[in-house]
Amino acid sequence: MLYVIGMRGKVVGGSRRLSILWVVMAFLTTACDSGSIAPPSLEFLEPPTLVASPPAPLVGRIEVKSSIATRVRIDLSDGLGHNFTVTTRDFFTDRVVSVRGLKANRTYNASVTLLDGLGREQSASALTIITDPLPNDFPTITLNSSDPSQMEPGLTLLDATRHNRTTGYMIMVDAQGDVVWYLKSDDSQTATDFLPSEALFLRMLFNEQVIDKIDFDGNVAAAWHAQDSSDGRVGSIAVSGADFHHDAVILPNGNILTSTRESIEQVNDFPIDENDSSQTGTVTIREEPVIEFAADGEVVGKWDFLDILKPTRIAYDATRGQPNATDWVHLNAIWYDEVDDAILASLRHQDAVVKFSRATGELIWIMGPHANWEGFEQYLLTPPPGEVFEWQYHQHAPMITPAGTILLFDNGNRKASPFTGEVPLGPEFNYSRAVEYRVDEVNMTISQVWEYGSSEGLYTPFIGDADWMSETGNVLITFGGFCNLNGMPSENLGQCRTSGRIIETTYDTKTRVFDLSVEDPDTTTTGYRVYRSERVGSLYPDGSAQVTQ
């Protein structure tokens, strides 16, 4: 019995995965029957060669051609202690293997070995992979501390962008703080998320007004642009609306949730002085509705906050841009609640996270200080009396944890609301934190379950993130927007110099197990900021290869 193997290990009339098993069985059966027929030779048809690098600079690509379908093992060493192995999962006769996880400014010896289904191996002469140094404008990444034994496994993904929106990097570092992957963009990245189900990144580019999906080699798999404010790029799909803003989320149906910026009709009796409630006027609101669009760019859902909330209600900074483009809500994050088919939206200039029905647009609750919500009292979540509790201010990145709680980054700006007599806290005395709340929707109550940061003295008046780690229960916190002016903490985002810091802490003991600083090496610039970070388990999330150290 003998099966004929075609290109890439496919059996004529059969599946590739089954073909390998069948071929092995065929040879074993034939050998047992006759004792004379040996399996086909295992050899390289051509010496392995390096091929053109992908857009991600720390990824090498090696083309391998073999006489029969095999897996490939590549053993790498830079002679400086960085040794690792990449082994492909599937069997092929001709393939290009992406070698991910290289470090910058290194020379690697790469040994390529074929592995067939009979346990045989065949090695070729080693290749040399030389990586370039990191770019001169690359952020300075400093590892302050690290305890891999207590950390969530994997690599830390972060998006670092210069505050003046001229240069952006997607970066992954290992537990030692070494860069093992990056991708540069001459644009400002306002959000980068990893999509495990697709083994892709979802990125938003502010200047281009493009949302795209990127693979781990840095190639763009799909892209969409806001047609009223951008011509997009070759191949991107137009989406009706202007100015994608801050966040994008993939729904289970494959559609994308994001927000756009629109100027709408004037609003009367709007507060024009945050210190005097009697001062009102007519202003034009810059509305930021949440929209849902399909893969073909069609907008299939839209939720306007002027229809959901109180148009004349403000927190601090909600009067910015008046009278012609008042930044009333400043939506900075979206989370989809699959259990309730609801949307959580973080509204920075309302000091509020709101939950509303995706199906009907009906408001479910408002999380935030109760000041100035006259007429919306039934939607306000209330902390039980006597409990330790602190509201969030100018928050970012709410997420629902596996326990059903809500974890978010509380920037903490001012820690006060207009028209209440509360004295706003100055930046030199303020702090930011990660905080976890539990919401009881039946009784409309809210409790503070956990927080980290109130005693750390770290204040970032804009951007930030807090992520629950699935294996360890740790929390990864992005203090992304430190703002310093003349050596002092500031809220003057137009003039200050920015930097970021990423801290991973254990949940129970609040032990800091990872601490990374991100700064700009050029002291003449506005500095780098980090919008978000998260932990990515592997550089091969699709399982196409396994990396061992």
Side-chain angles (χ1 to χ4, degrees), residues 389-410:
F389 187 89
E390 182 181 343
W391 286 117
Q392 86 287 347
Y393 293 86
H394 278 38
Q395 72 292 315
H396 283 75
M399 68 170 293
I400 299 176
T401 73
T405 57
I406 297 173
L407 179 68
L408 57 82
F409 186 81
D410 173 17

Side-chain angles (χ1 to χ4, degrees), residues 269-496:
D269 299 321
F270 190 87
I272 60 175
D273 187 337
E274 295 174 353
N275 299 306
D276 185 352
S277 62
S278 68
Q279 300 297 309
T280 62
T282 300
V283 302
T284 300
I285 294 290
R286 184 174 67 187
E287 172 70 315
E288 296 176 50
V290 175
I291 65 167
E292 177 182 343
F293 67 86
D296 62 3
E298 180 185 2
V299 176
V300 296
K302 182 179 178 182
W303 298 268
D304 290 286
F305 291 105
L306 284 173
D307 296 333
I308 298 173
L309 300 177
K310 181 181 178 181
T312 57
R313 194 268 176 184
I314 67 167
Y316 283 113
D317 296 325
T319 61
R320 287 186 176 183
Q322 63 180 0
N324 298 319
T326 306
D327 195 2
W328 172 58
V329 293
H330 197 96
L331 185 146
N332 58 31
I334 302 168
W335 182 271
Y336 176 62
D337 183 350
E338 189 171 353
V339 174
D340 293 345
D341 188 28
I343 296 170
L344 273 63
S346 171
L347 309 181
R348 182 179 190 264
H349 292 174
Q350 293 290 317
D351 289 336
V353 176
V354 300
K355 180 178 179 179
F356 59 90
S357 167
R358 174 171 166 264
T360 66
E362 180 183 355
L363 182 61
I364 299 172
W365 49 248
I366 299 170
M367 173 193 295
H370 289 190
N372 309 313
W373 278 114
E374 294 81 6
F376 283 73
E377 289 85 356
Q378 63 178 314
Y379 300 107
L380 298 175
L381 298 172
T382 301
E387 287 192 5
V388 175
F389 187 89
E390 182 181 343
W391 286 117
Q392 86 287 347
Y393 293 86
H394 278 38
Q395 72 292 315
H396 283 75
M399 68 170 293
I400 299 176
T401 73
T405 57
I406 297 173
L407 179 68
L408 57 82
F409 186 81
D410 173 17
N411 293 82
N413 298 52
R414 299 182 180 86
K415 291 183 169 52
S417 299
F419 317 138
T420 62
E422 300 168 338
V423 178
L425 202 60
E428 66 273 26
F429 305 110
N430 212 343
Y431 59 86
S432 301
R433 62 182 184 146
V435 60
E436 180 186 11
Y437 296 117
R438 176 173 285 110
V439 172
D440 180 343
E441 292 187 1
V442 174
N443 296 305
M444 293 296 286
T445 60
I446 182 172
S447 298
Q448 181 173 301
V449 179
W450 180 91
E451 67 91 32
Y452 178 93
S454 61
S455 61
E456 302 298 316
L458 303 174
Y459 179 51
T460 59
F462 75 122
I463 61 180
D465 191 14
D467 287 347
W468 178 273
M469 302 286 95
S470 60
E471 291 191 31
T472 59
N474 292 350
V475 180
L476 186 69
I477 309 168
T478 307
F479 294 87
F482 291 106
C483 180
N484 285 280
L485 187 61
N486 300 320
M488 294 294 293
S490 173
E491 293 173 347
N492 187 340
L493 302 185
Q495 297 185 19
C496 69

Side-chain angles (χ1 to χ4, degrees), residues 214-234:
I214 302 171
D215 68 21
F216 274 61
D217 285 350
N219 301 302
V220 175
W224 300 265
H225 64 272
Q227 68 178 19
D228 295 348
S229 54
S230 171
D231 294 328
R233 62 165 83 112
V234 175

Side-chain angles (χ1 to χ4, degrees), residues 515-530:
D515 186 349
L516 194 80
S517 295
V518 181
E519 299 177 296
D520 197 328
D522 187 345
T523 59
T524 67
T525 72
T526 56
Y528 274 103
R529 61 192 187 189
V530 181

Side-chain angles (χ1 to χ4, degrees), residues 167-215:
T167 302
Y169 284 97
M170 292 171 59
I171 302 168
M172 278 192 277
V173 301
D174 61 18
Q176 290 71 45
D178 290 333
V179 177
V180 294
W181 188 94
Y182 76 89
L183 185 66
K184 182 178 182 179
S185 171
D186 294 325
D187 203 337
S188 172
Q189 297 166 158
T190 60
T192 300
D193 292 306
F194 170 52
L195 308 175
S197 62
E198 301 184 53
L200 296 170
F201 301 111
L202 186 67
R203 176 181 64 169
M204 181 181 289
L205 297 173
F206 185 88
N207 297 330
E208 275 193 277
Q209 281 300 300
V210 166
I211 296 171
D212 58 16
K213 291 182 179 180
I214 302 171
D215 68 21

